[in-house]
Amino acid sequence: MGVFTLQHLLSLVDLSREQIEEILEIAVRLKQELKAGQRRPIFQNLVCGLLFEKPSLRTRVSFEALMNQHGGASLYLGADVGWPSREPVCDFIPILTSYLDVLVIRAKDHQSVVEAASFSRCSIINGLTDLSHPCQALADVMTIREHSQGQKDVKVAYVGDANNVAVSLAEACSKLAIEFTIAAPERYQFSENFLASLGLSANSQTSDPFAAVREADFVYTDVWTSMGQEAESERRLQAFANFQVTSALMSAAKPNAKFLHCLPARRGEEVASSVIDGPQSIVIDQAENRLHAQKGLVAWLLKQG
Ligand code: CP
Ligand code: NVA
């Protein structure tokens, strides 16, 4: 609100590698402090709004918790505030953001977040759209680093729909020089243009899950039917039938490979219970890191901490 330089996080491609490193460095430091019982009031008197058009557990609660842990406040704004239909965005967003220091938006249409940013008087964070989920990817790379302990040449294999989560994961990996491969049915793959924009070759994408996970340190998946795609659910179940992350697929990765999932998961669809509930799964640590990574992000955007 005036005293801060206005900056948004709409997509990870807007950040440099150095900026992502700065966010992660703050996140790691604040996580260590929290684990040591220290909660400095770095967000004192700051207010975070959460304008959500879709359901959420992790994104909503982690943002609310991180503001409260450090002396700030959060406001959850659901359908009753009337966005995007009760009044024009050119009125709604400047008014809302004049009350706030940071606004997290979860939107059906990515363009809604871009448009909101253009009218905003405070920092905007993309809390998931149909196109991307940058907050998730920040937590993902933080988790990958924690579980690869300084190892060089880390490889992440994503098996499933080339959706919002996959887009941001691919972007984060490419920024941080983490090898990334994806296996998806042809109809549900990344476009060649997207791969090229990240400097990834066509070899980074396959329709063979076993080929994708070869030599992988991390195997990642997400739901086959994302929020808003429910009408396609039956068709997707058929298309992805051979893309479940099973124990056999995990065996084709490195012996100590870890399993990642942004959650919520559908056991028996994109992942077998034996995998997500098994010893290779680090999904709960990954979900916890949403709190820490976003804390780093908010502190970085608002120049606090
Ligand atoms: N992974 C994730 O964004 O979870 P929520 O939809 O519960 O926020
Ligand atoms: N791809 C999923 C992610 C949920 C966190 C969705 O958009 O529904």
Side-chain angles (χ1 to χ4, degrees):
M1 296 206 284
V3 293
F4 306 119
T5 312
L6 198 56
Q7 199 164 357
H8 309 301
L9 177 64
L10 306 189
S11 160
L12 287 179
V13 292
D14 300 335
L15 298 181
S16 66
R17 176 179 184 151
E18 291 68 30
Q19 289 173 318
I20 295 176
E21 294 287 4
E22 284 168 17
I23 292 166
L24 293 176
E25 190 190 312
I26 301 169
V28 168
R29 180 159 42 81
L30 291 174
K31 180 173 180 176
Q32 284 166 353
E33 287 183 13
L34 188 72
K35 297 288 177 189
Q38 197 184 357
R39 300 182 181 205
R40 289 182 293 119
I42 57 172
F43 300 143
Q44 194 158 32
N45 300 326
L46 299 178
V47 184
C48 173
L50 294 145
L51 183 61
F52 277 34
E53 255 193 310
K54 292 179 176 180
S56 170
L57 168 67
R58 282 143 290 267
T59 309
R60 172 184 176 173
V61 180
S62 54
F63 272 108
E64 296 217 44
L66 72 89
M67 291 305 295
N68 282 279
Q69 285 176 356
H70 295 276
S74 63
L75 295 170
Y76 181 76
L77 307 165
D80 55 330
V81 292
W83 181 73
S85 56
R86 185 165 176 249
E87 55 190 305
V89 174
C90 62
D91 292 337
F92 182 95
I93 291 291
I95 293 166
L96 173 63
T97 56
S98 70
Y99 304 144
L100 301 171
D101 300 285
V102 58
L103 175 63
V104 183
I105 304 182
R106 173 165 284 201
K108 292 177 183 164
D109 182 353
H110 187 80
Q111 203 48 39
S112 305
V113 180
V114 173
E115 188 183 30
S118 74
F119 289 113
S120 182
R121 297 187 174 191
C122 76
S123 287
I124 299 281
I125 295 175
N126 171 357
L128 180 145
T129 69
D130 54 335
L131 287 193
S132 60
H133 197 2
C135 293
Q136 179 68 52
L138 287 173
D140 296 342
V141 289
M142 183 173 177
T143 310
I144 287 165
R145 285 199 167 164
E146 285 175 348
H147 285 268
S148 43
Q149 293 163 340
Q151 178 195 331
K152 286 209 165 72
D153 304 326
V154 173
K155 175 175 170 180
V156 176
Y158 179 98
V159 177
D161 189 21
N163 62 14
N164 46 7
V165 167
V167 163
S168 292
L169 181 67
E171 290 170 350
C173 287
S174 114
K175 290 275 178 184
L176 298 180
I178 297 170
E179 187 181 345
F180 177 86
T181 58
I182 178 168
E186 273 175 26
R187 186 189 169 110
Y188 299 96
Q189 294 186 345
F190 288 139
S191 69
E192 280 177 22
N193 281 350
F194 176 73
L195 287 176
S197 74
L198 299 184
L200 293 172
S201 74
N203 293 339
S204 309
Q205 180 158 261
T206 169
S207 50
D208 178 354
F210 283 86
V213 304
R214 201 171 296 135
E215 292 300 312
D217 302 285
F218 296 88
V219 178
Y220 196 128
T221 191
D222 183 18
V223 290
W224 295 336
T225 301
S226 287
M227 293 181 277
Q229 298 174 332
E230 291 76 8
E232 300 171 27
S233 166
E234 276 310 309
R235 194 174 71 193
R236 286 171 169 271
L237 271 176
Q238 286 173 18
F240 285 95
N242 295 325
F243 288 78
Q244 185 182 93
V245 179
T246 58
S247 299
L249 189 64
M250 288 302 293
S251 302
K254 278 196 182 157
N256 57 352
K258 303 291 185 222
F259 173 73
L260 294 163
H261 191 309
C262 59
L263 305 179
R266 286 181 169 264
R267 286 167 173 75
E269 291 189 17
E270 75 275 5
V271 59
S273 300
S274 58
V275 173
I276 191 168
D277 300 322
Q280 290 172 285
S281 174
I282 54 170
V283 299
I284 305 300
D285 289 353
Q286 180 188 4
E288 180 192 320
N289 276 339
R290 296 294 305 279
L291 176 80
H292 309 299
Q294 289 156 199
K295 204 179 274 187
L297 172 63
V298 173
W300 183 82
L301 282 172
L302 301 185
K303 304 192 182 354
Q304 304 293 308

